[in-house]
Amino acid sequence: MNKAIPVVMLCTAAVLTTLLLNGCNNQVASNPTKPETAPKPLVAFLSLHKQYCEQKYDNSSSLKESLSHQKKLAPAKDYKGVYEVFVDKVSYAISPEDDGCTTDVMVQAKNKQELFTFDDINKALINSGYIATGEAKSRKDMGTDQTEVMVIQKKYISPQGEVTTLDFPLNKKDKYYMTLFAEKFTQAKREIKEKVMNKLRMASIEKNKTI
């Protein structure tokens, strides 16, 4: 049996987990590069996203049921179906969606202090095992004050293999919630839709046979 394969796999795994190796002999570099310390609000944001949105759920109903029983989460005021949690006086929201789960935060506080930047969260996601897919794209959206906001959007594949979309405002950062959306149930919804369509086709065929 070729014994070189496990060695290659070991090296690849080491690179993907950002462990710095001198070679494929399990020798750790003597001076490994330490990752940059992320801003505390960003650490809290990603921790909440991992705790609630990265978990395994069978469907949208099980996600909603799970979030409704989380003691740390409270229903958000004026936002039906959204849950809110405060960390160091910063409001974070978790939203169960029909096709996934969203975590959001207003990245610019009332005192005009910016919690973190696009570069901060992009680097943090990649350091957490997310894989960027393609270049970031800009688009227009509507802010909470019903005025136009420019948003930069970037897609990733999460460590769980889920398509995850980041929407980060480029302006009016105190009027637009930055969101990180994990697509979780699209395939299941597609399969259900296909089953319904197949049943309709079969019913139509049977009906035509009786005519």
Side-chain angles (χ1 to χ4, degrees):
M1 182 180 293
N2 191 342
K3 296 182 180 181
I5 295 178
V7 178
V8 173
M9 291 176 64
L10 177 60
C11 292
T12 303
V15 172
L16 293 175
T17 53
T18 67
L19 295 176
L20 300 177
L21 303 181
N22 287 331
C24 296
N25 296 319
N26 294 331
Q27 294 179 352
V28 181
S30 57
N31 294 307
T33 302
K34 295 181 179 180
E36 296 181 8
T37 302
K40 288 185 178 180
L42 176 54
V43 173
F45 179 90
L46 294 179
S47 177
L48 291 169
H49 186 77
K50 181 176 182 178
Q51 183 177 354
Y52 298 114
C53 285
E54 287 188 3
Q55 300 304 310
K56 174 68 176 178
Y57 302 100
D58 294 331
N59 48 49
S60 179
S61 296
S62 66
L63 167 61
K64 293 176 182 179
E65 180 71 14
S66 176
L67 293 181
S68 69
H69 289 89
Q70 298 293 332
K71 294 182 179 180
K72 293 182 179 180
L73 300 179
K77 185 179 179 180
D78 300 328
Y79 292 94
K80 186 177 180 180
V82 177
Y83 297 91
E84 186 178 33
V85 59
F86 284 86
V87 180
D88 293 333
K89 298 182 180 181
V90 176
S91 171
Y92 301 86
I94 309 295
S95 306
E97 314 284 356
D98 289 338
D99 51 354
C101 183
T102 296
T103 306
D104 65 56
V105 67
M106 194 77 76
V107 293
Q108 185 170 308
K110 293 181 180 179
N111 61 6
K112 301 302 179 181
Q113 180 180 0
E114 191 171 354
L115 301 180
F116 52 86
T117 66
F118 172 79
D119 286 338
D120 287 334
I121 189 169
N122 180 57
K123 290 177 182 178
L125 287 171
I126 292 173
N127 287 339
S128 298
Y130 281 74
I131 300 173
T133 60
E135 298 295 327
K137 299 179 180 179
S138 61
R139 65 180 180 84
K140 296 178 181 179
D141 206 342
M142 197 70 69
T144 57
D145 61 350
Q146 302 304 306
T147 60
E148 192 175 274
V149 180
M150 289 301 299
V151 177
I152 186 169
Q153 184 179 89
K154 190 163 185 176
K155 291 183 179 293
Y156 308 82
I157 301 299
S158 75
Q160 290 71 34
E162 297 171 343
V163 175
T164 301
T165 303
L166 171 66
D167 284 316
F168 195 101
L170 295 177
N171 63 331
K172 299 184 180 179
K173 297 180 181 181
D174 60 340
K175 304 295 182 183
Y176 189 90
Y177 287 97
M178 186 215 77
T179 64
L180 188 63
F181 168 69
E183 187 176 301
K184 307 182 76 67
F185 312 120
T186 303
Q187 182 61 32
K189 287 178 64 179
R190 186 182 297 115
E191 291 175 354
I192 292 173
K193 182 178 179 180
E194 289 176 353
K195 288 180 181 179
V196 172
M197 292 300 295
N198 286 334
K199 287 183 179 180
L200 290 175
R201 291 192 191 97
M202 293 302 295
S204 177
I205 293 173
E206 291 299 323
K207 182 178 180 179
N208 290 332
K209 286 182 178 179
T210 59
I211 295 177

